[in-house]
Amino acid sequence: MTTTTGQCLCGAVHFRVEGEALAPRVCWCRDCQYLGAGTGMANAGFSAEGFSYTGDVTWFESRADSGNLMQRGFCPRCGTPLFSRTPARAHLVFIRIGACDSPAKIAPQMTIWSASAPPWAAIDTALPQLPGQPAAPGKGGPS
Ligand SMILES: [Zn+2]
Ligand SMILES: [Zn+2]
């Protein structure tokens, strides 16, 4: 079983998750551009079953375009975006690849919301692109 570990910038929050990354991808939706400070966000989904963290995480809630309630977890001390989840897909947790100890091991396989990206965005043209949210349940999810 693969174990992925990581932390926030200041080290107050540590996390671990068991299992393979599901559909790692770069998301250029407008929300991710805020959180990524201008760039897209690289996220990987995991089964929520093997997910745990230590330290305080603040969960910011907002309503996604899909109508789903989104919860985004960040470190209240250093502000590092760490996780996202939605009660609509409670079996999944999405983790920011940049917060993982070995980001090189989780390569994005797709770019989503490419239509929302600014013209200067550096998008890997070797990867499949979707202009918006993936439709397939299970593969989709919060980002
Ligand atoms: Zn922190
Ligand atoms: Zn996004």
Side-chain angles (χ1 to χ4, degrees), residues 45-126:
F46 292 88
S47 168
E49 214 167 287
F51 169 66
S52 63
Y53 63 83
T54 58
D56 282 335
V57 170
T58 297
W59 293 91
F60 172 73
E61 292 194 342
S62 63
R63 194 66 65 175
D65 288 345
S66 61
N68 290 335
L69 184 68
M70 289 291 313
Q71 300 170 323
R72 292 186 171 86
F74 63 95
C75 171
R77 185 160 175 259
C78 69
T80 303
L82 295 166
F83 318 121
S84 63
R85 64 188 183 191
T86 173
R89 291 188 183 128
H91 61 292
L92 293 175
V93 60
F94 283 74
I95 295 178
R96 313 307 184 193
I97 294 174
C100 296
D101 291 331
S102 303
K105 287 187 184 164
I106 309 172
Q109 295 167 3
M110 179 181 278
T111 302
I112 63 171
W113 285 101
S114 57
S116 304
W120 47 261
I123 293 177
D124 186 349
T125 52

